[in-house]
Amino acid sequence: MLNTSEVVFLQLGAMAALAFYVAANLGANDVANSMGTSVGSKALTLQQAIIVAGILEFSGAVLFGQGVSETLATGVVNAQVFAAQPQVFLIGMVSVLIACGIWLQIATSRGLPVSSSHAVVGAIAGFSCVAAGINAVDWRTIGTISLTWVATPVASGALAALFYSVVKYSILDRPDPLSQMREWIPWLSAAMLSVFGIIVLPSVVDVALVQTGAIALAHDRFGWNLPIHDVVIGIGSIGAIALTLNSWKKLESVEKEEERRKKEEGRGDKGFGPSTNSSPTPTLRHSLIEQQMARFQVLSACFVAFSHGSNDVGNAVAPLAAIAYIRRTGSFPSEDFSVPLWILVVGGAGIVIGLAIWGKNVIATVGEKIIELQPSGGFCAELATATTVLLASRFGLPVSTSHALVGAVVGVGLIKAWKSVRLQTLLSIGSAWLVTIPIAAGLAAIIFSIAQSIGQF
């Protein structure tokens, strides 16, 4: 016979396996947010994208995922309702894990990018209504999330259209795009490092310098008073300068190669009348420009993957953290309870495994089936996505990275060639968005009802 501690350990292990399953489906679906456009524009191969995203998603989830101070559980439900019955809430969170895992796997198998945040919110609302009635749900939060369905893709699409318009009319459509690219490299570097640096660097600096005591040591030993925001700005500035200098060096080698090609074409055409090779030159120049933009896009995709792992891992592990808290304390989790490191490792590992096994379906949808992308368009889409998510977080608005990226890809498509946007793909994605919350809610309600009828856990 197993003793009580062994039973609790086995139950918690089973819940960890469920959370791993949800994280795997989240990785397969949501990592398309960071890598879909890079694969679609051919800046990265699918295998390269999976390897890069796997490393950065896991690093972000494990190293910086513990910064979450407020979970979906305490934000969507009425805490007072479940404070007196934490075991009911525990059964509900198990139902949430199962429901979200099933729905995310269905969506991923069909290549549909859906919001894991919305799936978790819908599932929590579904079981809460069955468990304690309609008043157990914070409907104001649900309403805010619903509004972001429209606001997020529209805002991200508008920003992407603006960014791509600048790139298109200032670089791509100019008579000498390589020269224009040289002038714009510092601005592109500054824009990218500013947006992504604000998302990632504060967490990095906090963990690497503040929590380790490095800043306090510098103050005690040298008298340096280093505010975190100044450190972030300094690191970002150094990164932007380094990226600019490296890009200029790469562009210089490209310009020398183009000049060599021109000389060879000129020698080949001597004595034979007008050159027959003059027409491909604009195409060649645009190809060289896209090679330069691909470098920016790969770096931007890395930042998105890292920040996604640190932010969205909570969608998979927050229910598990709540379950572990109730098992340990016997009480409803408070708003400031922290996520243990082992739970973050479970979530990070699940994201990587899911991405490797199933990720290609959604990556192909976002990167290739909405519109054909080139690195210039992919870079603008990722920059717009990050900007939208950053602005929303500053105002405390819960948004979906999936919605933001799809809207950004459409925004680029409208400027590039609006007739090439595949409406059928958008209709399929939009339908998946609309049904995510009700389906997740229904599944969680059914699973919770079955668990309650069994009467045991």
Side-chain angles (χ1 to χ4, degrees):
M1 292 290 293
L2 297 175
N3 58 40
T4 303
S5 61
E6 290 174 335
V7 171
V8 171
F9 178 79
L10 290 176
Q11 289 176 340
L12 197 57
M15 297 308 100
L18 268 178
F20 183 90
Y21 171 64
V22 175
N25 283 287
L26 184 150
N29 199 289
D30 271 13
V31 176
N33 300 332
S34 56
M35 291 296 164
T37 53
S38 295
V39 174
S41 67
K42 305 299 187 293
L44 289 173
T45 66
L46 180 61
Q47 184 177 9
Q48 289 172 336
I50 289 175
I51 293 173
V52 171
I55 295 172
L56 292 170
E57 290 273 347
F58 183 82
S59 301
V62 174
L63 295 177
F64 303 105
Q66 71 270 27
V68 178
S69 60
E70 197 172 319
T71 67
L72 288 169
T74 57
V76 177
V77 302
N78 186 342
Q80 295 178 349
V81 173
F82 290 103
Q85 45 184 353
Q87 292 301 320
V88 173
F89 186 75
L90 185 150
I91 297 173
M93 297 310 281
V94 174
S95 305
V96 168
L97 287 174
I98 298 174
C100 290
I102 292 173
W103 171 239
L104 287 175
Q105 184 168 7
I106 292 173
T108 302
S109 66
R110 297 180 175 273
L112 298 174
V114 297
S115 170
S116 58
S117 301
H118 293 176
V120 174
V121 167
I124 293 175
F127 96 79
S128 298
C129 288
V130 174
I134 196 171
N135 291 328
V137 180
D138 186 345
W139 293 107
R140 180 176 297 180
T141 300
I142 300 291
T144 302
I145 293 174
S146 299
L147 288 176
T148 64
W149 285 351
V150 177
T152 301
V154 170
S156 184
L159 284 173
L162 174 63
F163 293 155
Y164 188 70
S165 296
V166 173
V167 171
K168 185 174 186 293
Y169 297 120
S170 300
I171 301 175
L172 300 178
D173 291 349
R174 290 300 182 94
D176 190 359
L178 286 178
S179 176
Q180 289 296 116
M181 184 67 183
R182 173 178 288 277
E183 294 183 10
W184 275 88
I185 279 177
W187 298 105
L188 294 175
S189 301
M192 184 177 64
L193 267 298
S194 297
V195 173
F196 294 109
I198 293 173
I199 294 175
V200 178
L201 283 180
S203 297
V204 176
V205 171
D206 180 65
V207 173
L209 299 180
V210 177
Q211 295 184 21
T212 59
I215 288 184
L217 179 63
H219 181 270
D220 294 339
R221 180 167 297 183
F222 304 106
W224 296 345
N225 186 15
L226 301 175
I228 294 180
H229 61 270
D230 286 350
V231 176
V232 169
I233 292 173
I235 295 174
S237 299
I238 293 172
I241 293 171
L243 180 60
T244 297
L245 295 176
N246 182 263
S247 299
W248 273 342
K249 184 177 179 181
K250 296 287 186 182
L251 186 61
E252 184 178 355
S253 65
V254 167
E255 289 175 331
K256 289 180 180 179
E257 178 66 20
E258 188 194 22
E259 186 176 345
R260 185 185 64 80
R261 288 172 182 265
K262 286 181 179 179
K263 290 181 179 179
E264 291 181 353
E265 290 174 0
R267 287 196 298 268
D269 289 333
K270 284 183 179 180
F272 296 97
S275 172
T276 58
N277 293 325
S278 58
S279 58
T281 302
T283 303
L284 174 62
R285 286 179 176 175
H286 284 133
S287 175
L288 297 174
I289 291 295
E290 295 297 343
Q291 290 178 22
Q292 296 298 308
M293 295 299 296
R295 295 186 176 91
F296 284 97
Q297 188 185 2
V298 170
L299 186 58
S300 68
C302 291
F303 278 118
V304 174
F306 186 91
S307 59
H308 175 268
S310 63
N311 293 326
D312 279 19
V313 69
N315 296 332
V317 302
L320 176 59
I323 292 170
Y325 185 92
I326 294 172
R327 279 299 188 194
R328 186 176 69 255
T329 65
S331 61
F332 183 83
S334 58
E335 292 186 358
D336 60 348
F337 82 97
S338 60
V339 181
L341 179 61
W342 71 268
I343 291 181
L344 294 172
V345 172
V346 169
I351 288 175
V352 174
I353 297 298
L355 169 65
I357 297 175
W358 302 308
K360 62 181 180 181
N361 293 334
V362 178
I363 285 178
T365 297
V366 174
E368 300 173 359
K369 294 183 180 179
I370 298 176
I371 187 174
E372 293 183 3
L373 284 172
Q374 292 179 312
S376 56
F379 168 73
C380 293
E382 289 176 351
L383 188 62
T385 299
T387 304
T388 302
V389 174
L390 173 63
L391 291 175
S393 65
R394 284 286 180 255
F395 290 102
L397 297 174
V399 297
S400 166
T401 314
S402 302
H403 294 189
L405 187 67
V406 169
V409 173
V410 173
V412 171
L414 293 177
I415 298 299
K416 184 178 180 181
W418 66 270
K419 290 184 179 181
S420 63
V421 177
R422 300 182 178 97
L423 296 179
Q424 187 60 44
T425 301
L426 291 180
L427 289 175
S428 298
I429 294 173
S431 300
W433 288 354
L434 291 175
V435 302
T436 291
I437 281 188
I439 286 182
L443 284 172
I446 293 172
I447 295 169
F448 178 80
S449 299
I450 294 174
Q452 264 198 327
S453 66
I454 294 174
Q456 291 183 348
F457 172 67

